[in-house]
Amino acid sequence: MSEPSSVGLPRWVFLPALLGAAFVLVPLLAIVARVDWTNFLALVTSESSVAALWLSLRTATVSTLLCVLMGVPMATVLARTRFPGQGLLRSLVLLPLVLPPVVGGIALLYTFGRRGLLGHSMEVLGIEIAFSTTAVVLAQTFVALPFLVVSLEGALRTAGERYERVAATLGASPGTVLRRITLPLVMPGLASGAVLAFARCLGEFGATITFAGSLQGVTRTLPLEIYLQRETDPDAAVALSLVLVLVAVVVLGWARRGGRAW
Amino acid sequence: MKMRRTPKLVSLGLAALLLGSTLGACGSDDDETVLHVYAAASLKTTFEQLADEFEDQHDDVEVEFNFAGSSDLVSQIQNGAGADVFASADEANMTKLVDDDLAADAPQLFATNTLIIAVPKGNPAGITSLADLAKSGVKLVVCAPEVPCGAAAGRAEAAAELDWKPVSEEASVTDVLNKVITGEADAGLVYVTDVIAAGDKVEGIAFPEAEATLNKYPIATVKGSDNEKLANAFADLVLSEKGRSILEGAGFALP
């Protein structure tokens, strides 16, 4: 670093900072300490475990794509336009961020359920969502979408509109500005938002179990499998928890790398 | 669950972290004794009534409940939760407590429960028997085989020589009931007591194979309880005439 020597921090700051770090890391270590290593491979490669992991990865990927498809326009509208009631609208669409997921599950049930607001008309059209993998994707998208919107909107505001204005004065159409200026500028923000959303999808439990049900290979994602395994096989639950922790670490690590590369 | 030696550093860190929260959590009145009763979720209504009764009988005693799935409760007690009384929804989970030498006395059976078919109000799929649950197009929800209500459902399936394909295998009977109440499922297998508690939100359809689904509820006081006398008194109340009539009123059968 060629910066002037940094100001430094008062020493007392390090104690609560360390405590905070320990608070997060010690429980993770506790999982590692509890893993039954001799049977670890057998536990995590059982048929039900593999089905759950595969389902989790598939649904989280689809859900993240949906989040990007809907979240990028949402964040752009929120960051680049002004209209009455915008603040209220922003708060409302970000609500799943602070809602308990089980509330999200109930809300989805009364929307897409067989007797829900839209469920009946969908059943007439031959679309059945209850107890299907689609229900899992809906639950994950519902809870993860705000993560992407928040981080992307923040990135858009930080990036500012200077380059966009310049491009516009040089004759670029709004479409070109969005495609060639706005989005490339906030790519790192979009990437980290998408990764956050993916991680949130992977961990989704409450909305899924309330709305989608739990059946191996169809709706029982990894968190639901862990929850169920605890009943009879705590060792398997611990082993699968570690798998989920590892997947999360890989995803976040990849995101950090990705963010820097852009 | 097998206990593994936790590395010293980890336990030390945990202890330091937990110290603050436990100190804060124990802020009850000095002269009031708190009895901690860990009871299966299906006992919520009846045990709350019993606790009112118990608190009337004993001055300065407060009954605090932890209602959850029986296996959750056992694992909490095994990990050092301060329970005085444990009431399980099945014998398997009580056996775990006994095997770990955590029961102060021999568990006693105080109630039994059987399964019943629950259908949404109006019975839209026209279910009349267990055999109907195996028909294609019927959306059946049951508990997963890993939990007691799922094991019981499996016994009913075997007794009726059926092979059904549930659309969901839930982790708790509450989740099954909710899928029926909301009309997501055409039918679910839940406890008799659940259908009674749900009132007119669902309809119950009894079936002759129900005997195979009998679940027995044992109660025991927990070894090392600070309030052994009170714990015994609470268990006695559950087993008393008063306790039996409350349990019977909720739909439990008596052993």
Side-chain angles (χ1 to χ4, degrees):
Chain A
M1 285 260 203
S2 58
E3 302 281 313
S5 61
S6 84
V7 180
L9 284 171
R11 238 176 253 159
W12 59 264
V13 172
F14 290 97
L15 183 67
L18 264 174
L19 260 179
F23 182 64
V24 175
L25 293 176
V26 170
L28 295 180
L29 283 177
I31 285 193
V32 177
R34 273 293 177 99
V35 169
D36 178 359
W37 290 109
T38 43
N39 299 316
F40 180 76
L41 218 59
L43 289 172
V44 299
T45 53
S46 72
E47 193 199 338
S48 60
S49 305
V50 171
L53 179 63
W54 177 229
L55 180 70
S56 272
L57 291 175
R58 268 188 315 155
T59 51
T61 305
V62 176
S63 303
T64 307
L65 281 176
L66 284 176
C67 284
V68 170
L69 282 177
M70 296 187 285
V72 173
M74 274 168 81
T76 320
V77 169
L78 286 175
R80 289 290 187 265
T81 63
R82 245 168 272 283
F83 53 87
Q86 192 180 22
L88 183 68
L89 183 73
R90 174 187 294 113
S91 309
L92 288 178
V93 296
L94 298 187
L95 211 52
L97 207 58
V98 287
L99 275 184
V102 59
V103 175
I106 291 174
L108 288 170
L109 193 60
Y110 289 127
T111 311
F112 297 104
R114 278 165 108 187
R115 297 184 179 175
L117 222 50
L118 307 175
H120 185 68
S121 6
M122 296 182 100
E123 205 169 3
V124 170
L125 293 172
I127 306 169
E128 285 204 39
I129 289 177
F131 306 115
S132 68
T133 307
T134 312
V136 178
V137 170
L138 289 181
Q140 291 178 348
T141 308
F142 184 82
V143 296
L145 186 56
F147 282 83
L148 188 128
V149 175
V150 165
S151 50
L152 186 56
E153 195 197 345
L156 281 164
R157 287 182 183 280
T158 314
E161 295 177 53
R162 280 174 306 158
Y163 295 109
E164 295 165 16
R165 286 206 199 95
V166 171
T169 52
L170 293 177
S173 69
T176 312
V177 173
L178 183 67
R179 214 176 55 245
R180 307 275 306 264
I181 311 284
T182 313
L183 290 182
L185 267 179
V186 294
M187 235 353 137
L190 175 58
S192 67
V195 167
L196 263 181
F198 183 79
R200 181 66 191 84
C201 290
L202 269 187
E204 201 335 274
F205 173 77
T208 310
I209 204 162
T210 316
F211 172 52
S214 174
L215 192 69
Q216 183 178 324
V218 181
T219 48
R220 190 174 294 153
T221 54
L222 203 47
L224 271 68
E225 174 72 16
I226 291 172
Y227 186 66
L228 186 62
Q229 284 299 337
R230 261 172 350 130
E231 297 283 345
T232 47
D233 193 352
D235 287 340
V238 171
L240 286 176
S241 300
L242 185 64
V243 171
L244 205 48
V245 170
L246 290 179
V247 173
V249 167
V250 168
V251 166
L252 290 177
W254 174 79
R256 273 172 47 97
R257 188 94 54 79
R260 227 176 292 151
W262 262 307
Chain B
M1 192 160 77
K2 280 165 276 168
M3 294 294 256
R4 265 175 211 86
R5 232 171 63 84
T6 319
K8 217 179 224 163
L9 193 74
V10 174
S11 9
L12 209 72
L14 273 179
L17 291 170
L18 292 176
L19 200 64
S21 62
T22 31
L23 284 179
C26 297
S28 60
D29 287 355
D30 288 341
D31 48 350
E32 195 160 69
T33 315
V34 178
L35 188 69
H36 296 277
V37 176
Y38 282 39
S42 45
L43 295 167
K44 188 165 189 288
T45 350
T46 46
F47 268 42
E48 274 170 353
Q49 273 174 276
L50 282 165
D52 289 342
E53 183 81 18
F54 192 74
E55 284 166 356
D56 287 344
Q57 289 172 8
H58 299 80
D59 288 338
D60 299 325
V61 173
E62 203 196 320
V63 180
E64 261 182 22
F65 284 112
N66 182 2
F67 292 113
S70 303
S71 64
D72 272 343
L73 295 174
V74 176
S75 80
Q76 284 168 17
I77 298 172
Q78 284 170 328
N79 283 296
D84 298 307
V85 180
F86 173 53
S88 170
D90 67 343
E91 292 178 296
N93 281 301
M94 184 56 90
T95 307
K96 290 188 208 164
L97 195 78
V98 175
D99 286 350
D100 269 17
D101 200 22
L102 287 166
D105 48 14
Q108 299 191 67
L109 295 181
F110 65 93
T112 62
N113 215 344
T114 46
L115 292 187
I116 190 169
I117 303 169
V119 297
K121 218 171 146 180
N123 195 1
I127 306 288
T128 57
S129 68
L130 272 191
D132 289 344
L133 303 183
K135 284 186 183 157
S136 72
V138 169
K139 285 187 192 296
L140 169 70
V141 176
V142 295
C143 286
E146 284 87 347
V147 292
C149 56
R155 294 200 296 274
E157 187 183 9
E161 292 177 358
L162 293 167
D163 180 22
W164 54 50
K165 302 264 177 295
V167 291
S168 184
E169 296 174 347
E170 306 281 340
S172 83
V173 72
T174 324
D175 285 320
V176 176
L177 189 68
N178 270 318
K179 301 284 189 301
V180 176
I181 289 176
T182 54
E184 288 302 294
D186 294 321
L189 279 173
V190 300
Y191 291 116
V192 171
T193 50
D194 296 317
V195 167
I196 293 177
D200 60 4
K201 291 199 280 278
V202 295
E203 293 172 21
I205 297 162
F207 52 89
E209 298 85 350
E211 209 172 304
T213 68
L214 190 78
N215 238 18
K216 296 172 181 165
Y217 285 62
I219 190 167
T221 52
V222 178
K223 198 173 249 182
S225 155
D226 295 333
N227 308 301
E228 213 183 310
K229 263 191 178 162
L230 278 173
N232 281 320
F234 187 84
D236 287 344
L237 176 66
V238 172
L239 293 155
S240 71
E241 272 311 308
K242 180 78 195 171
R244 292 168 73 90
S245 76
I246 288 178
L247 287 161
E248 226 172 359
F252 287 100
L254 302 172

